[in-house]
Amino acid sequence: MSTNSPRSGEWTRAELMARVIVESQRHYADYMVFNQAMADSVGLHPTDLQCVAMLDLEEEPVSTGDIARLTGLTSGSATRLVDRLVKAGIVERHSDPGDRRRSLVALAPAARSRISQAWDTPAQAFGAVLDTYSDEELAVIADYLHRTREVGRAQAHRLTTGEDAPS
């Protein structure tokens, strides 16, 4: 099997399936290397950077329990992660207006700006790749990423609990 683009129409379904699996494994490994390099460049641990990236996707502040669910960490590990990020000035804790016993976590505005700037060049590079696809191809890519993310989360649940993920 060659490494040419599968868009040439010369691949069998079995070859394409095998290629998707191999490229997914390579993508994951290379993304881990990229995530480590990005974390190093902004002075964070890779897990902390992943938490920051997840917080950046959230429209509202989230609880530490939400962070545990988003990252797959235990509640204790999520609390320590938030403590580190607060100390570093990356996130801020706010009182939950609905429950004063609970605090909510949000990215600090200065940290959001600094991390956003660090993403400028990689975002342009990833965007250039995405620009080579048609709208229909982008829809397929987005669907694949969404569906495999759900499978990954369900499999992580199965592996950590020994139970099938709730439907």
Side-chain angles (χ1 to χ4, degrees):
M1 191 162 51
S2 75
T3 58
N4 294 330
S5 172
R7 293 192 279 175
S8 65
E10 300 172 8
W11 298 64
T12 67
R13 181 168 179 82
E15 288 172 327
L16 283 171
M17 293 289 282
R19 174 116 193 247
V20 167
I21 291 168
V22 167
E23 291 299 336
S24 290
Q25 291 171 331
R26 288 181 176 151
H27 173 265
Y28 179 74
D30 288 342
Y31 196 84
M32 295 295 289
V33 172
F34 167 73
N35 189 62
Q36 178 69 59
M38 178 61 82
D40 290 346
S41 78
V42 296
L44 293 174
H45 184 276
T47 303
D48 297 2
L49 180 63
Q50 285 303 107
C51 176
V52 168
M54 296 307 299
L55 286 173
D56 192 42
L57 296 174
E58 297 299 315
E59 294 179 19
E60 301 289 331
V62 300
S63 70
T64 303
D66 292 331
I67 290 172
R69 281 187 294 285
L70 289 169
T71 60
L73 295 172
T74 65
S75 60
S77 293
T79 298
R80 288 187 294 279
L81 182 148
V82 170
D83 290 344
R84 282 194 309 272
L85 293 177
V86 166
K87 186 176 180 179
I90 304 291
V91 301
E92 299 171 340
R93 279 194 177 103
H94 304 280
S95 296
D96 183 343
D99 183 350
R100 293 180 3 171
R101 297 167 296 170
R102 191 170 90 136
S103 64
L104 300 175
V105 179
L107 287 179
R112 184 182 301 274
S113 176
R114 181 171 66 98
I115 300 221
S116 177
Q117 288 175 359
W119 269 99
D120 283 348
T121 300
Q124 289 173 4
F126 287 118
V129 172
L130 291 172
D131 282 343
T132 67
Y133 293 97
S134 70
D135 291 350
E136 293 80 15
E137 290 170 321
L138 288 172
V140 170
I141 292 167
D143 179 64
Y144 170 78
L145 292 172
H146 174 78
R147 291 166 68 181
T148 57
R149 179 180 59 86
E150 288 179 344
V151 169
R153 187 155 294 276
Q155 291 305 306
H157 176 83
R158 182 187 62 78
L159 290 166
T160 57
T161 66
E163 304 169 357
D164 286 338
S167 300

